[in-house]
Amino acid sequence: MISSIIENVLANNALITAFAFIGILSFSTNKLSDVLIAGRIHGSAVAITLGLVLAYVGGVVTGGSKGLADISIFAGVAVMGGAMFRDFAIVSTAFGADLSALKKAGLVGSLSIVIGVILSFSVGSVVAVAFGYTDPVSVATIGAGAATYIVGPVTGTALGASSEVIALSVAAGLIKSVTVMIGTPFVAKWIGLNNPTSAMIYGGLMGTTSGVAGGLAATDPKLVPYGAMTATFYTGVGCLLAPSILFILVRFILS
Amino acid sequence: MIIYGVALLAFCMLMGTVSGKLIGVLIGIDANVGGVGIAMLLLLFLTNLKSDRFKLKPLSNTGITFWTAMYIPIVVAMAAKQNVYSALNGGAVAVVAGLLAVGASFALIPILTRMAGQSDDQ
């Protein structure tokens, strides 16, 4: 009886349960990173990775699409980690951001968005061709998915791609977002991701809002406003370019 | 009052989201295009106003900085609700396309950063 009461309370206060759960998770991963790896990997990087592992487990157990949040007592995780709170927290990081640094990197930052869309689209399209796809619609849809998991389906729907190909494009975008979250702290030193200018370029080239949010959180939270500033425009630029100019180019090259 | 800071932040985000949706409608996409960026610029603008009448007190500031501090936990929750299972089961072409796109983008960051540095010197 007690367990059913507890379960009810946890499920009915979903967001509060999520606060408590994420707090416990963060505490454990901070301790873990101190003890096991002497703090060499940022505690938040470990927490984000563990979050992704739990999301995988949630997907295996429930077969749903919201990771851990598909388990009823963890439903609040979807609210806490949803776009509303995520964007609210991202916007708050602008408080105290350096306006002159934003202006300084404004041009190269905007340029990096266009370059980023074209680069990811091209890589994705080449991979699609390498895997034997020859029709321009499928190739462009998978290429668009390599931009973000929103650009993929938007492009696929506009071009009339099959639902299997659209699902592939979403998966490619998800892989990108997860890889950016986990990979960023490891490559940050190599790629010079330690100042506002490179953070704006990073946001523009990566473009996945979740990936950039997670990657910078695990690397240096002070860089968040700069990366988020450019990443927020990426999906729009991608949705503009992929089904139009980039698709026409793909059709031209493949014919 | 803490709520002043929270309300200002909320106002900026709502204005940004409305603008982002409008941009989306203008270019024919059902998405929030740049709304977060516009909200951030608005917050920067409003909190940097020189007017004394419109100056947040330190306590009101904590209404904003609290959410900055909540950023990482929110991102951890965001990670825990990703559809990792279907990403990994999407098939080899999706995994390879996603991985290579990230690798190529990482590689380009130092090059563009150097270009930005050079144009600065001119």
Side-chain angles (χ1 to χ4, degrees):
Chain A
M1 194 187 84
I2 289 192
S3 72
S4 78
I5 290 178
I6 293 177
E7 205 180 316
N8 261 325
V9 170
L10 294 184
N12 288 334
N13 298 280
L15 183 58
I16 309 300
T17 308
F19 286 153
F21 172 71
I22 297 295
I24 294 167
L25 187 82
S26 302
F27 178 79
S28 336
T29 51
N30 276 331
K31 285 278 167 256
L32 209 69
S33 103
D34 280 350
V35 173
L36 282 185
I37 41 185
R40 248 172 299 166
I41 301 172
H42 215 285
S44 43
V46 182
I48 290 166
T49 310
L50 186 60
L52 290 168
V53 172
L54 292 174
Y56 180 82
V57 174
V60 173
V61 172
T62 66
S65 65
K66 286 186 294 189
L68 188 66
D70 280 319
I71 299 172
S72 66
I73 58 166
F74 295 120
V77 168
V79 183
M80 182 176 172
M84 181 175 72
F85 277 122
R86 183 198 64 195
D87 290 351
F88 199 54
I90 290 178
V91 173
S92 80
T93 64
F95 185 62
D98 184 359
L99 199 58
S100 65
L102 278 172
K103 275 191 200 141
K104 205 182 96 187
L107 183 67
V108 65
S110 343
L111 200 66
S112 71
I113 301 169
V114 179
I115 297 174
V117 168
I118 296 173
L119 179 69
S120 290
F121 181 90
S122 312
V123 171
S125 304
V126 168
V127 171
V129 171
F131 273 81
Y133 289 88
T134 47
D135 70 301
V137 170
S138 301
V139 171
T141 302
I142 295 171
T148 71
Y149 55 76
I150 297 172
V151 182
V154 166
T155 304
T157 310
L159 300 177
S162 70
S163 62
E164 292 83 44
V165 168
I166 292 181
L168 270 181
S169 78
V170 174
L174 284 171
I175 289 285
K176 181 185 189 185
S177 148
V178 170
T179 313
V180 172
M181 274 186 235
I182 299 181
T184 302
F186 292 100
V187 298
K189 215 180 256 170
W190 290 352
I191 59 178
L193 185 59
N194 55 16
N195 59 74
T197 302
S198 59
M200 280 183 81
I201 293 169
Y202 164 84
L205 285 179
M206 297 303 159
T208 139
T209 314
S210 334
V212 167
L216 288 178
T219 306
D220 181 0
K222 277 194 213 66
L223 297 177
V224 170
Y226 308 103
M229 183 67 79
T230 44
T232 176
F233 289 97
Y234 185 98
T235 288
V237 172
C239 292
L240 268 185
L241 294 181
S244 56
I245 308 169
L246 293 176
F247 169 66
I248 293 168
L249 274 173
V250 166
R251 203 173 48 183
F252 177 75
I253 292 168
L254 288 178
S255 67
Chain B
M1 294 267 277
I2 287 180
I3 185 66
Y4 294 166
V6 181
L8 178 68
L9 179 57
F11 171 78
C12 291
M13 172 162 152
L14 294 174
M15 293 306 288
T17 308
V18 169
S19 319
K21 288 271 181 192
L22 279 175
I23 297 176
V25 169
L26 283 178
I27 58 177
I29 303 163
D30 181 23
N32 175 2
V33 179
V36 171
I38 295 165
M40 286 198 288
L41 290 176
L42 187 62
L43 183 70
L44 265 174
F45 172 74
L46 290 177
T47 51
N48 280 305
L49 283 179
K50 292 284 175 273
S51 150
D52 280 341
R53 261 191 315 165
F54 197 87
K55 195 93 200 146
L56 283 182
K57 299 222 164 57
L59 194 57
S60 309
N61 281 344
T62 58
I64 301 174
T65 51
F66 170 78
W67 289 101
T68 310
M70 281 299 281
Y71 172 74
I72 288 177
I74 285 172
V75 166
V76 173
M78 177 196 80
K81 66 156 274 243
Q82 298 294 310
N83 197 355
V84 183
Y85 181 69
S86 82
L88 292 178
N89 283 285
V93 58
V95 175
V96 175
L99 284 177
L100 288 184
V102 175
S105 307
F106 275 150
L108 203 56
I109 292 173
I111 299 169
L112 284 181
T113 309
R114 214 167 303 141
M115 275 170 52
Q118 274 166 3
S119 64
D120 247 22
D121 299 337
Q122 284 163 9

